Amino acid sequence: MATSRPNNPIELIDARIEAWPLAQPFIISRGSKTEAHVLVVEVSQDGVIGRGEAVPYARYGETPQSALEQVRKIALQNREDLQQTAPAGAARNALDCALWDLESKSKHQRAYEIAKLPPPRHTPTFYTLNLATPGAMAEQASKHRNLPLLKLKLGGEGDADRMRAVRAARPDARLIADANEAWSTDNLERLLNIAAELGFETIEQPLPADDDASLATITRCIPVCADESAHTTSDLVSLQDRYDAVNIKLDKAGGLTEALLMTEKAKALGFKIMVGSMVATSLAIAPALLLAADAEWVDLDSPLLLARDRDHAIEIVNGVISPPASQLWG
């Protein structure tokens, strides 16, 4: 009687850092860059190859080289065990997404089917306006009149004028803003009130992650979204008194596997959800789209920020993301 042969071990066949030029410099309160440096891994089993992409981020103590070295030290295994043996971050994210892609191709199923999720839909995404002077940001907003959802990068001093200028330039747009930890307890309530008066829908991470306790002591007139304060599922309970929403990013969570768990926990705790990403190619965005159905705000515009993208790139037309092709991922 014939017996089935067990699968061969999963192997890491490539891990590399790639640089993708941006269409224009990307500027936030912590600095600027002209290229997206991404970590790409490829894993293989029984002749099938899976790919994943992640972005090592200096804010979390990562460098491209440190993430690459970490990937090479992690013992490959199934996705569930990977969550227990490797810390959250870019290295685990790249491997986790590659394992999802490998499983999808091996089973001839889309990743959303394996995750028991509805198929990704055409999804509106917010488009990021670089941190600049109020006039320059208003000009950016006017230039992109075909995009109905805009996200402002803020930086502290002058933010009230930036928000007013963009609203005046685009009274029709849905607006959100990311302060990137640049506000202080002294200006917090004033700036939140201005944002609310101007019709902003949420403000991301106004205070530093290690100094955000005062968010629990004020009346928040606009939803405040945790970004740098919220990495994984274990962070959520402690944030309930300070935040109304959480930005779930695969690079922070350490992969799609943890991000799916984090989404369910956040919903159970009553948080609104934003799905975001670092600046990366379509290969990094495709897994994050599986979270979009549960999100109040989808911020996956990275392909629009690149000078060029990968083959089989995700299509974004007038700010609406199409579901990814199977040739790209999952």
Side-chain angles (χ1 to χ4, degrees):
M1 180 176 177
T3 58
S4 60
R5 187 175 61 183
N7 290 335
N8 291 313
I10 300 171
E11 296 180 334
L12 176 67
I13 60 172
D14 193 19
R16 60 189 181 273
I17 300 298
E18 297 178 349
W20 292 81
L22 304 185
Q24 61 184 17
F26 183 74
I27 304 170
I28 66 172
S29 62
R30 285 190 287 269
S32 65
K33 60 183 177 181
T34 58
E35 291 182 319
H37 291 93
V38 303
L39 169 66
V40 178
V41 303
E42 295 181 0
V43 298
S44 177
Q45 185 180 44
D46 297 323
V48 180
I49 295 174
R51 298 188 304 166
E53 177 183 317
V55 181
Y57 198 40
R59 170 64 179 80
Y60 306 132
E62 298 178 321
T63 67
Q65 190 58 40
S66 70
L68 183 63
E69 292 173 358
Q70 187 179 1
V71 161
R72 291 170 174 164
K73 293 177 181 177
I74 295 173
L76 282 180
Q77 53 215 311
N78 63 50
R79 289 184 285 103
E80 290 73 18
D81 289 342
L82 179 67
Q83 310 308 303
Q84 304 302 317
T85 58
R92 193 177 80 185
N93 178 29
L95 284 170
D96 182 69
C97 290
L99 290 171
W100 274 97
D101 192 39
L102 178 69
E103 184 175 350
S104 172
K105 291 178 169 64
S106 297
K107 292 182 175 179
H108 303 287
Q109 290 181 286
R110 296 306 303 266
Y112 69 82
E113 296 176 296
I114 296 171
K116 296 180 172 57
L117 296 172
R121 300 171 295 183
H122 287 76
T123 303
T125 179
F126 282 83
Y127 177 77
T128 303
L129 303 181
N130 277 322
L131 175 64
T133 65
M137 293 188 74
E139 185 176 345
Q140 290 180 59
S142 296
K143 179 181 176 182
H144 297 289
R145 286 198 174 275
N146 64 312
L147 302 177
L149 281 62
L150 299 177
K151 174 177 175 174
L152 285 64
K153 286 292 188 180
L154 300 178
E157 185 68 29
D159 281 350
D161 292 335
R162 293 183 178 99
M163 290 189 287
R164 290 190 180 107
V166 171
R167 174 50 81 199
R170 290 294 306 276
D172 59 309
R174 289 178 58 193
L175 299 180
I176 63 176
D178 183 2
N180 280 122
E181 305 179 278
W183 293 2
S184 69
T185 54
D186 294 334
N187 62 24
L188 174 65
E189 288 188 87
R190 178 177 67 86
L191 291 174
L192 287 177
N193 284 330
I194 291 170
E197 290 167 6
L198 294 170
F200 279 70
E201 297 180 15
T202 186
I203 300 294
E204 269 185 87
Q205 201 67 43
L207 300 178
D210 60 358
D211 189 24
D212 61 359
S214 59
L215 286 168
T217 67
I218 66 169
T219 300
R220 298 188 293 274
C221 55
I222 180 174
V224 177
C225 181
D227 184 2
E228 286 83 355
S229 291
H231 289 235
T232 64
T233 306
S234 62
D235 296 323
L236 295 175
V237 170
S238 66
L239 301 178
Q240 286 182 281
D241 62 340
R242 305 177 190 189
Y243 294 94
D244 310 285
V246 292
N247 187 342
I248 299 176
K249 296 178 180 176
L250 271 61
D251 284 306
K252 292 187 301 177
L256 177 61
T257 302
E258 171 65 15
L260 290 169
L261 296 173
M262 189 175 180
T263 299
E264 288 304 309
K265 182 67 172 181
K267 287 166 54 182
L269 292 174
F271 287 108
K272 294 183 177 182
I273 294 170
M274 180 184 295
V275 176
S277 73
M278 309 302 186
V279 182
T281 80
S282 287
L283 181 57
I285 302 306
L289 278 171
L290 271 63
L291 309 177
D294 291 312
E296 184 88 7
W297 305 282
V298 174
D299 180 25
L300 298 175
D301 64 337
S302 287
L304 295 178
L305 307 180
L306 302 176
R308 58 183 177 85
D309 201 351
R310 298 187 183 279
D311 292 341
H312 310 293
I314 289 173
E315 186 179 55
I316 306 178
V317 178
N318 293 328
V320 177
I321 307 176
S322 295
S326 60
Q327 298 96 320
L328 175 69
W329 181 88

